Structure formats: C-alpha cells, structure tokens
Amino acid sequence: MDNTNTRVPPKRFNPEAPANYPQLREVLQDRLPTLAPGQQRIARLLLDDPEGTSFRSIGETARLAEVHSSSVVRFAGLLGLAGYPALVRLCREQLAMEAHLVRRLEQAKEHTETTKLLGAIAENDTRNLTRTFARIDRGDWERAVSLLRTARVVHVVGMRKCYSVAHLLTYLLHMVRPGVRQIGGAGGLLVDELRELAADDVLVAVSIRRYTRDTVRAVEFARQHGVATIALTDDPSSPLARAASLTFYLETGSVTVLRSLSTFTAVVQALATSVAVSLGKRGRDELRTDESLLESFAVYSPMEAIFAEE
C-alpha cells in the first residue's frame, strides 16, 4: 500500500505549557521528584543555569545532562513546548528581563538624594503622560467610550499591581452608569464570575509586564465568547494586545526599580470622564442618585463638624 500522500497530523502541544521562565521554574520544581534520572539532570540545568542554557546548543545541553539530544527534545515536549528552541527562548527572555531589572536598579542609584529623586520622578511621569496621550488613536478612543456607555455590564479585571487601577475604573464608571463590576479580586472566583459574561457586555483588562495569567485568560475567554474587550497595557508584545478588541498602550518607564502607573490613573480618569460626558443627562442622574445614597448613609463626615472642631 502506498502511503506517500498520507499526512501525519501535527503534534498538539499542551495548552498549559509554561509561557515564561517563572512558570517553567514552577513546573520543574513541582515535577522534579517524579522525573527519571536523565530528565532530572536536564531539569536541574534549566533551574540552576538558565543563563547558560540561553546560549548552549542542544548538543551541549545533552552532553552536560549526560543524555542524548533526542532526550532533550522529548523533555521539552513533556512540558508542552515545541522543542529545544522553545526552552532556550524562555531562558533568554528571563535573562533579558533580569538585565532590564539591573539597568533600572543602576538608574535608581543615580537618584539617591530625596530632592533629586522627586524631581526625576516628576519629569519622568510628565514624559510618560505626554507620550501615552499622543499614542492614543482618537477613533479607538471614541469606540471605547461608546462600548463603555452602551454595554449591558462593564466587567473590569486587573491583578496584583494593576488591581488598584481596575478598582479606580470600576469606582468611577459606577458613579455615572449602573452595571459596572470588578472581577477576579476575591477568593479565586474569577472562573465563576466569567460565566456571567454576555455578548452585549464589555470586559476591560489591565495588565503590565509580567502579565498575570488570569487576566490574559479572562480576555481570551471573553473574545472566544463574542464579548468586546478593551486592554490597558504597556507594550505591543503584550498578550492582551493579541486578544483584545481595542488596545491602549501606556508608558510605564520609571527612574527607579518600581514601574510607574501614573499614566494608567490618568487614562482611567479620562475614560470615565468621557463616558460621563457622553451619557449627558443619564450620567448626571446617576451622580445625583449616588450623592443621595451617600448622604442618607452618612458616608462622609459633615463639613460643619470638621470646622467646629478647629
């Protein structure tokens, strides 16, 4: 029988394959006790010397691990990766990230005096704001405002450092329209919250490098289910940019090791303000209702009492 034209289907790789070196490290540490001796030697090379792996050929790695090159290829496949080059890529990305961190630490040393640091931060954030707003496409901005105004429900997700940005957007939007909620912030319930997404909703996702996996998955899930998505992120290489309906790139450069989120606060404020203006009377009515509730629950201290104490 002639099998010349028989096509072998391409190998399917594990959808849970590590997307970066920290994830690779976590998987290797978890699986290390259960691996065969040769696989353990490969894993230890990756764990103990990712920098070296970034520059070694597959033959060199196999020699150091005392295995055949094909064993290294199979090991990558066990992890769900497309061969040895994928392992090298994760190690190189980690090396580049560490080099970037070192540069930022060196920059921070240049601003040890408080007065100099304060001025440097102000100048840096001013540049970030100018560049960020200059990069915003006006058509995309209007589409985003329209989506946030007309959506049945606006869902907002942001983890770790970006949690506060997501909270601010949720708070501001909820002042001018109903049906705004922050998801992913409590008790590992993100999956349960994503079940409530509908086709006429909008998901806003906030994430910067290193991108939180749950935030990326939320955007991918929303897209697969026909939900419009808006991403606030830092770079075109961001996984959010590949999945979102609309993406806005915000500058996060800093003079210290801590990346700046000043632009995120400014853009979130501008988005909420634009939505409020576009809603017109509806937005003003929501604000009046909000103020009435705040007053009835005595949320804020009365100004008369404050002045009376002085």
Side-chain angles (χ1 to χ4, degrees), residues 56-135:
R56 277 194 293 264
S57 68
I58 187 171
E60 291 172 315
T61 295
R63 179 178 59 80
L64 290 171
E66 300 177 9
V67 297
H68 194 274
S69 295
S70 60
S71 298
V72 180
V73 175
R74 286 195 296 271
F75 184 77
L78 286 174
L79 297 171
L81 295 169
Y84 183 69
L87 278 173
V88 171
R89 176 179 57 80
L90 295 183
C91 292
R92 286 182 178 174
E93 288 176 353
Q94 178 67 13
L95 183 61
M97 186 172 296
E98 290 175 354
H100 180 61
L101 180 59
V102 169
R103 286 196 300 272
R104 288 161 61 190
L105 285 169
E106 290 299 323
Q107 289 174 347
K109 292 178 182 178
E110 298 175 5
H111 305 286
T112 53
E113 295 183 21
T114 303
T115 53
K116 289 184 178 180
L117 179 60
L118 185 61
I121 290 174
E123 183 179 345
N124 177 81
D125 281 354
T126 299
R127 285 197 302 268
N128 283 349
L129 286 166
T130 301
R131 291 171 181 169
T132 294
F133 280 93
R135 293 172 71 181

Side-chain angles (χ1 to χ4, degrees), residues 25-268:
R25 180 175 56 212
E26 183 179 346
V27 170
L28 293 177
Q29 290 171 336
D30 183 57
R31 297 188 185 181
L32 191 62
T34 65
L35 296 175
Q39 293 173 336
Q40 285 189 353
R41 291 193 293 273
I42 298 171
R44 287 196 174 95
L45 271 177
L46 294 168
L47 287 170
D48 298 340
D49 190 18
E51 180 177 353
T53 305
S54 300
F55 301 101
R56 277 194 293 264
S57 68
I58 187 171
E60 291 172 315
T61 295
R63 179 178 59 80
L64 290 171
E66 300 177 9
V67 297
H68 194 274
S69 295
S70 60
S71 298
V72 180
V73 175
R74 286 195 296 271
F75 184 77
L78 286 174
L79 297 171
L81 295 169
Y84 183 69
L87 278 173
V88 171
R89 176 179 57 80
L90 295 183
C91 292
R92 286 182 178 174
E93 288 176 353
Q94 178 67 13
L95 183 61
M97 186 172 296
E98 290 175 354
H100 180 61
L101 180 59
V102 169
R103 286 196 300 272
R104 288 161 61 190
L105 285 169
E106 290 299 323
Q107 289 174 347
K109 292 178 182 178
E110 298 175 5
H111 305 286
T112 53
E113 295 183 21
T114 303
T115 53
K116 289 184 178 180
L117 179 60
L118 185 61
I121 290 174
E123 183 179 345
N124 177 81
D125 281 354
T126 299
R127 285 197 302 268
N128 283 349
L129 286 166
T130 301
R131 291 171 181 169
T132 294
F133 280 93
R135 293 172 71 181
I136 292 175
D137 180 273
R138 295 303 183 261
D140 285 348
W141 183 266
E142 292 302 323
R143 284 188 285 274
V145 171
S146 177
L147 286 170
L148 295 173
R149 183 184 71 248
T150 60
R152 182 188 70 96
V153 177
V154 176
H155 311 263
V156 187
V157 60
M159 308 288 186
R160 299 179 65 81
K161 190 174 185 179
C162 294
Y163 179 87
S164 60
V165 179
H167 178 75
L168 178 61
L169 180 60
T170 304
Y171 175 82
L172 293 175
L173 283 178
H174 198 267
M175 290 178 66
V176 298
R177 59 149 294 166
V180 183
R181 67 183 191 126
Q182 185 172 0
I183 63 175
L189 297 177
L190 178 63
V191 173
D192 304 83
E193 293 168 327
L194 289 175
R195 289 173 55 193
E196 299 183 23
L197 264 67
D200 51 353
D201 291 352
V202 172
L203 174 70
V204 182
V206 188
S207 189
I208 62 174
R209 188 186 304 120
R210 298 174 293 176
Y211 310 98
T212 309
R213 182 183 291 188
D214 278 348
T215 304
V216 176
R217 285 179 171 175
V219 176
E220 291 172 343
F221 176 88
R223 180 177 183 178
Q224 292 166 5
H225 290 77
V227 179
T229 51
I230 301 170
L232 303 180
T233 189
D234 49 1
D235 296 313
S237 61
S238 166
L240 296 188
R242 296 193 295 271
S245 311
L246 292 170
T247 303
F248 297 102
Y249 302 110
L250 285 65
E251 296 283 344
T252 59
S254 173
V255 297
T256 71
V257 68
L258 301 177
R259 300 180 74 189
S260 173
L261 289 181
S262 298
T263 55
F264 281 81
T265 301
V267 168
V268 160

